[in-house]
Amino acid sequence: MKKTLLIHPTIFIVTALICMLFLLGVAAVPQAMIEENARQSAGYFYGQELFEMSMGEWMNFQKDNYADCISVGIAYHLGNGDNLWKGIISADYNRVADENVNVSFYRAMNGAEVETESYARYWHGNAAVIRLLLICMNIQTIRWVIMVAGVLFNIGVVWTLCRRNYKILGSLYGVAFLLVNGVFALTCMEYAFIFLLMPLAVMFLLNHKSMADMRNVIAAFLVVGMLTAYFDFLTAETLTFTVPFTVYYIVVWKSEQNKSRKDHHKTDLLLLLRTGCAWCAGYAGMFFLKWLLAWVTLGKEAIATATDSALERIAGDVTLTSDMAGQ
């Protein structure tokens, strides 16, 4: 009993420490190593519309250069200071009132003195990955690399399902991925990490025999929830629970239950509730941890800003325009 009570907090602490160490390690990359590609990325965003229509007036092909410009700006500023810890917690990016974020970032990368603003309410694990890739490529190439990786991961899910004789489910997964415009979503850093994490979670659940045990599945969804909060920029985050759970339930869980030839309706409900609660605990716990660290590191004003933003979204009154920062 004591072991059961301790295992999930231990998993949470270890996962959170790994996430923080990754941010610190990437922040330690010398600015000189990413300077040129960051400058090229700033020039690219400067020449694009913040909300770029990539295919006529089809809204599901609208590329969010606004959010991606902020992410690249945060990636650059993670190591732009003497205190790496404060840098990863504060998550600064260039922003000037009444000026487009792409203009502010472009001016800063070309030698101008441009003020910054903190984006401490998110972990910005996506920005850490972007910073790592900026060592050898600019944002245009990063988008292509992430897109190709994401497509391959999702093809991997289809292949795994077909290999396990779930060809119809595999086909449905592939069609659903295309219908939600998954390939295009992978070209935009704001959405891409959900469409990377989702197939990786599915393949992990399907390819590890230990996942037949409910306790292990609960622990897995705890970690998936944490990683979702860590990498996502508040987009389609629930996909990392609903899709992996559904595929896992059909392929692994029901298969194991059918072998025992017993009625397990109560166990099925218990699986849904426990994995759902684990995912939510991981997701909410990571946000709470980030806000706590922001409060300790930056002061109570950082928490006030985060709380105001959350309440604004709950009320559904977000005053974001195409030429003003403040997501």
Side-chain angles (χ1 to χ4, degrees), residues 2 25 81 126 167 190 210 260 270 279 283:
K2 289 183 178 179
N126 62 333
K167 294 182 175 62
E190 182 184 9
S210 62
S260 65
L270 197 61
W279 186 95
Y283 184 80

Side-chain angles (χ1 to χ4, degrees), residues 205-243:
L205 291 169
L206 296 185
N207 292 319
H208 284 74
K209 293 182 179 180
S210 62
M211 290 299 109
D213 189 322
M214 185 188 292
R215 291 171 298 181
N216 295 331
V217 178
I218 292 170
F221 274 106
L222 173 68
V223 174
V224 171
M226 294 178 68
L227 294 179
T228 302
Y230 181 72
F231 285 108
D232 185 42
F233 209 168
L234 200 62
T235 55
E237 60 275 9
T238 54
L239 286 178
T240 62
F241 173 73
T242 54
V243 175

